[in-house]
Amino acid sequence: MTRNSSVPGLIVMAGLAVGAWWLTRQVAGMALPFGIPGRALEYPLWAALVGLLANFGLKRTGLYAAVEPGLKVELFLKIGLVLLGASVSLALLAPTALGAVVQGLVLITGVFLFSWWLGGRFGLDAKLRAVMSSAIAICGVSAAIAAAGSVLAKKEQVTYVTALVIVVALPLMVIAPALAGALGLSQTVAGAWFGGNIDTTAAVVGAGTLYGETAQKVASVVKATQNALIGVVTFLLALYFTVVVEGKPGERPSLRLVWDRFPKFVLGFVAASLLYTFGLIDGGRGTPLEALRNWSFTLAFVGMGLQLSLSDLRRMGWRPFAVFLITTVFNTLLALGAAWLIFGVWLPPAG
Amino acid sequence: MADKPPRPALSEDWLAVLIAFSLIALAAFGVLGKNGLNVVF
C-alpha cells in the first residue's frame, strides 16, 4: 500500500458510516428531552457528528495523515445525487430546475458582487475575494477550487476557504431546517432556500433530508442547477483577471473552460431522472437504490465532519472570517426572499 | 524508445456517474434487491 493510498481513509469512512447508521436507528426509537422525537434527528446529523469526533480523535493520535487521502466526500456525494435522480420525476425536475435557474442567477450575481465589494472594503486580496465569493455564491468547496484555478489563487487561500465553508455549513445544516420549521415554510420553499443558502452541497442535502423528502429533492435540484452555472462564472472570472487585474487585454480564456468546469454528474442526475420518469428504473421509497443513496450520503456526511480543519482558519486572521460570515447572513436573507417569491408565489408547489 | 502515452484519467464526476449507473443496472437486473443482495438502510 502506497503512502498516499485511499484505502485506510475509505475503511475508516465505511466504519464510521456504519456507526452513524447504528446510532440513527438507536435514537429513532427514543423520546428525547423537550419532547423531541428521536426520529426527527436523522442520519445526516449523526454522520457529521461521528465524523467530527473521529476527526479530533485521529488528529490527537497522529493518524489523520494516513486517512486523509481516502476522504472522498465529493465522490460519494455525487454518487448519491445521481442515485437521487432515480427518484425524481420530470414533473418535479422541470419546474424546479426552471425556478432554480432564475434563483441561481439572482443569488450568484447578488451574493458574488456583495462578497466581492465587502472583501474590498475589508482590504482582502483580489484572488482570495474571488475564491471566497465563488464559494459562497455558488457551491462551496468545488466552486472555491474551480475559481482558484481560474484566477491562479494560492493553495492556502483555497484550504482556508474550504475550512470556512465547512465550519459555517455544518451548523447551518441543522439551524436552517429548524428556522424553516419555525417560519412554517413549505417543503418546496424550504428546499429551495437550503439549496440557495447553504454553501456546500453535502450540507444542502443534509438540511433537506432533515426537513423532509420533497425538501431533499428540491434542495438537491436547486443546488445541482447552481453547480451547473459554475462553468460560466469561472469563465467570466478568468476573463476579468486576465484583462482587468493582470492587464492582458489581448488574451482571452477559451470558451471550452465552461464545459471543462461543468459538473458532469448533473448529466447523470438528469439521465437517471428520465429513466425513472419513463418507468424503467425505481429509486423511490423502500427500494435498494434508496438504501444505496442513503449510504452514499452517509459516507459524504461522515467525510465532511472528518475534513474540518480549524488550524487552517487561524492562519488568515479575522477579516476574511468576518467577510464570510456577513456575506452568509446576506445570502441567507436574499435566498429566503428569492425562494419564497419564486417557489412560493411564482411557481406552483412541486409534488 | 518512445514514451508511453499518458493513460486518460477519469474525472471524479464521470467516475461517480459510472458507479451510480452500475448500481442502477445491478438493481434493475435484480442483483441488488429482495431476490439478490438486499441492501437496507
Side-chain angles (χ1 to χ4, degrees):
Chain A
M1 205 153 52
T2 60
R3 195 179 158 81
N4 285 323
S5 170
S6 298
V7 176
L10 289 171
I11 291 172
V12 168
M13 279 176 82
L16 293 172
V18 172
W21 168 78
W22 178 83
L23 206 56
T24 307
R25 289 175 74 99
Q26 297 305 308
V27 177
M30 293 179 185
L32 301 173
F34 309 107
I36 300 169
R39 198 165 289 281
L41 304 179
E42 294 221 37
Y43 69 92
L45 195 68
W46 299 114
L49 201 64
V50 165
L52 268 178
L53 289 173
N55 180 342
F56 295 127
L58 287 165
K59 280 178 181 159
R60 284 194 86 83
T61 50
L63 293 170
Y64 190 80
V67 172
E68 199 176 12
L71 303 183
K72 307 285 185 194
V73 178
E74 294 276 315
L75 177 67
F76 288 114
L77 183 65
K78 287 166 185 172
I79 294 170
L81 285 168
V82 176
L83 292 176
L84 181 68
S87 69
V88 176
S89 72
L90 273 183
L92 174 72
L93 180 62
T96 307
L98 170 70
V101 169
V102 177
Q103 180 176 292
L105 290 174
V106 171
L107 291 181
I108 290 173
T109 314
V111 175
F112 189 97
L113 292 178
F114 179 83
S115 172
W116 181 264
W117 167 80
L118 193 67
R121 301 281 295 177
F122 276 70
L124 302 191
D125 168 70
K127 289 179 178 177
L128 179 61
R129 284 159 71 195
V131 174
M132 188 184 281
S133 304
S134 303
I136 309 175
I138 313 169
C139 54
V141 178
S142 45
I145 294 166
S150 290
V151 305
L152 304 176
K154 293 174 195 159
K155 190 172 177 286
E156 58 263 31
Q157 291 175 326
V158 182
T159 53
Y160 175 75
V161 172
T162 302
L164 266 180
V165 164
I166 297 174
V167 92
V168 172
L170 273 173
L172 264 183
M173 183 176 90
V174 182
I175 294 167
L179 272 176
L183 292 169
L185 300 184
S186 69
Q187 290 274 320
T188 312
V189 173
W193 183 38
F194 306 151
N197 167 33
I198 302 173
D199 294 332
T200 195
T201 311
V204 168
V205 176
T209 310
L210 291 173
Y211 203 64
E213 196 178 334
T214 304
Q216 185 201 45
K217 290 176 183 173
V218 171
S220 301
V221 173
V222 167
K223 198 65 182 173
T225 309
Q226 209 158 305
N227 282 349
L229 295 169
I230 194 172
V232 179
V233 176
T234 49
F235 174 78
L236 293 174
L237 267 178
L239 190 66
Y240 179 79
F241 268 74
T242 310
V243 176
V244 180
V245 179
E246 289 160 15
K248 298 173 186 167
E251 290 183 22
R252 290 279 187 281
S254 163
L255 261 176
R256 194 186 148 82
L257 190 66
V258 177
W259 168 247
D260 287 343
R261 300 281 192 236
F262 183 84
K264 310 322 184 273
F265 78 89
V266 173
L267 300 176
F269 180 94
V270 174
S273 173
L274 282 171
L275 291 173
Y276 173 70
T277 305
F278 294 122
L280 298 170
I281 58 172
D282 184 10
R285 196 178 275 258
T287 60
L289 290 182
E290 189 208 22
L292 287 166
R293 179 178 81 218
N294 289 341
W295 278 114
S296 289
F297 285 150
T298 305
L299 284 159
F301 299 139
V302 162
M304 192 167 64
L306 278 166
Q307 274 186 332
L308 179 70
S309 170
L310 293 177
S311 60
D312 284 331
L313 287 180
R314 293 192 199 105
R315 282 188 206 137
M316 296 219 184
W318 65 274
R319 285 167 199 267
F321 193 69
V323 172
F324 197 96
L325 283 185
I326 295 168
T327 309
T328 297
V329 173
F330 175 80
N331 189 10
T332 301
L333 297 174
L334 186 64
L336 181 60
W340 181 75
L341 274 175
I342 295 169
F343 290 90
V345 178
W346 176 40
L347 293 169
Chain B
M1 198 168 70
D3 288 338
K4 275 186 187 173
R7 213 168 42 167
L10 189 64
S11 76
E12 193 180 70
D13 274 36
W14 286 122
L15 180 62
V17 173
L18 188 70
I19 294 171
F21 271 88
S22 302
L23 294 170
I24 288 170
L26 289 173
F29 293 125
V31 179
L32 298 173
K34 288 198 174 89
N35 298 321
L37 182 64
N38 198 16
V39 189
V40 291
F41 185 87

